[in-house]
């Protein structure tokens, strides 16, 4: 027999709802970015220079926070030795993500503070990021280095990172870690854009065109806003396609994004 919903019963139910208080919102998931100058955040004094980690929030929804810890000049080794990984691990929480992207400065044999050997010390340092973040309940993601603007005599994008991307791929397979092959996807993007077309992505500015670079600049490693945005789009698209982040974490993946979408502190 169904109970009759009397005014007294309804009033009691409404009273319970009122005293229960609001339902607490789930804490935002944080994507922590580790890496070098290609990913790091630049101040407004250096605009339009920008890193892909700085542009990544453009493609993530409000439930996902980006904490860009990438450091200009860092290698997988120096980032650890400077205590930067410890700093991230002191605040990373269960369910967060750690993007790990090093290789540019690991190549520098002349600098023992940064150099790592691809098949040994490079893998050993990367393993610290993977193992220690997993121990905190976070989810590591390995990201091979974004390719530089280098072309062969026939106009094809040329590889510049030696054995490091392959070493990271091997480590990802061995440890069962998601891998974003940014070396491959950026190479494909540079090939589509071509020798001249890539200049709009990299920090190529003629003299007198920007007050922050009055003498002009031709930098084939670092990005201006348009490049940072497109490389961040590659990263975010891979995170979606591999289902690394939950559905609904992404926005604007196929939409034009103006340089003004980036925030320079």
């Amino acid at each position: 027999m169904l109970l009759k919903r009397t005014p007294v019963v309804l009033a009691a139910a409404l009273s319970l709802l009122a005293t229960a208080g609001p339902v607490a919102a789930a804490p935002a998931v944080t994507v922590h970015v580790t890496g070098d100058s290609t990913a790091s955040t630049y101040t407004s004094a250096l605009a339009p220079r920008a890193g892909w980690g700085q542009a990544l929030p453009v493609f993530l929804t409000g439930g996902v926070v980006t904490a860009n810890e990438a450091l200009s000049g860092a290698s997988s080794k120096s980032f650890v030795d400077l205590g930067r990984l410890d700093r991230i691990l002191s605040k990373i929480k269960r369910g967060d993500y750690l993007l790990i992207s090093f290789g540019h400065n690991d190549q520098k044999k002349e600098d023992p503070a940064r150099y790592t050997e691809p098949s040994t010390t490079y893998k050993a340092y990367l393993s610290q990021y993977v193992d220690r973040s997993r121990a905190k309940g976070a989810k590591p993601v390995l990201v091979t280095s974004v390719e530089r603007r280098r072309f062969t005599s026939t106009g094809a994008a040329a590889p510049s990172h030696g054995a490091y991307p392959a070493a990271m791929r091997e480590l990802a397979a061995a440890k069962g870690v998601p891998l974003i092959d940014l070396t491959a996807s950026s190479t494909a993007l540079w090939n589509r854009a071509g020798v001249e077309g890539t200049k709009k992505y990299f920090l190529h500015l003629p003299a007198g065109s920007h007050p922050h670079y009055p003498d002009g600049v031709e930098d084939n490693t670092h990005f201006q806003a348009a490049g940072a945005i497109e490389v961040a789009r590659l990263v975010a698209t891979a995170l979606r396609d591999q289902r690394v982040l939950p559905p609904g974490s992404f926005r604007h993946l196929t939409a034009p994004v103006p340089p003004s979408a980036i925030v320079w502190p």
Side-chain angles (χ1 to χ4, degrees), residues 52-133:
W52 62 258
Q54 185 175 2
L56 190 59
V58 171
F59 299 104
L60 300 175
T61 59
V64 183
V65 175
T66 304
N68 188 15
E69 300 282 350
L71 177 67
S72 292
S75 71
S76 63
K77 177 183 188 299
S78 67
F79 196 91
V80 170
D81 293 346
L82 289 168
R84 303 282 290 208
L85 179 58
D86 287 337
R87 189 172 81 176
I88 293 170
L89 294 175
S90 71
K91 57 189 177 184
I92 204 167
K93 64 184 184 296
R94 181 171 297 277
D96 281 353
Y97 297 83
L98 181 67
L99 304 189
I100 308 156
S101 185
F102 294 97
H104 279 85
N105 298 304
D106 288 76
Q107 294 179 291
K108 298 186 175 180
K109 286 187 177 182
E110 73 280 4
D111 186 355
R114 293 188 285 181
Y115 176 67
T116 61
E117 195 281 326
S119 64
T120 57
T121 48
Y122 181 57
K123 285 184 176 180
Y125 274 101
L126 292 179
S127 293
Q128 288 196 44
Y129 296 78
V130 171
D131 297 342
R132 295 178 65 191
S133 60

Side-chain angles (χ1 to χ4, degrees), residues 88-213:
I88 293 170
L89 294 175
S90 71
K91 57 189 177 184
I92 204 167
K93 64 184 184 296
R94 181 171 297 277
D96 281 353
Y97 297 83
L98 181 67
L99 304 189
I100 308 156
S101 185
F102 294 97
H104 279 85
N105 298 304
D106 288 76
Q107 294 179 291
K108 298 186 175 180
K109 286 187 177 182
E110 73 280 4
D111 186 355
R114 293 188 285 181
Y115 176 67
T116 61
E117 195 281 326
S119 64
T120 57
T121 48
Y122 181 57
K123 285 184 176 180
Y125 274 101
L126 292 179
S127 293
Q128 288 196 44
Y129 296 78
V130 171
D131 297 342
R132 295 178 65 191
S133 60
R134 278 177 164 172
K136 299 282 288 189
K139 303 171 185 180
V141 181
L142 289 166
V143 184
T144 61
S145 295
V146 60
E147 193 50 80
R148 299 177 174 97
R149 183 182 173 272
R150 293 187 182 179
F151 289 88
T152 67
S153 59
T154 60
S160 67
H161 292 105
Y164 291 89
M168 183 179 280
R169 294 179 194 115
E170 291 168 2
L171 182 69
K175 288 188 168 289
V177 180
L179 173 82
I180 296 175
D181 198 340
L182 189 57
T183 303
S185 60
S186 61
T187 297
L189 177 58
W190 306 155
N191 278 325
R192 290 194 297 272
V195 176
E196 290 301 312
T198 47
K199 290 180 180 179
K200 69 182 178 183
Y201 296 138
F202 287 83
L203 195 59
H204 274 242
L205 301 170
S209 66
H210 198 285
H212 294 160
Y213 302 89

Side-chain angles (χ1 to χ4, degrees), residues 6-72:
T6 66
V8 174
V9 171
L10 289 172
L14 291 171
S15 177
L16 285 172
L17 288 172
T19 57
V23 176
V29 168
T30 301
V31 175
H32 302 264
V33 180
T34 66
D36 50 44
S37 57
T38 61
S40 58
T41 296
Y42 294 91
T43 65
S44 56
L46 294 173
R49 180 167 170 166
W52 62 258
Q54 185 175 2
L56 190 59
V58 171
F59 299 104
L60 300 175
T61 59
V64 183
V65 175
T66 304
N68 188 15
E69 300 282 350
L71 177 67
S72 292

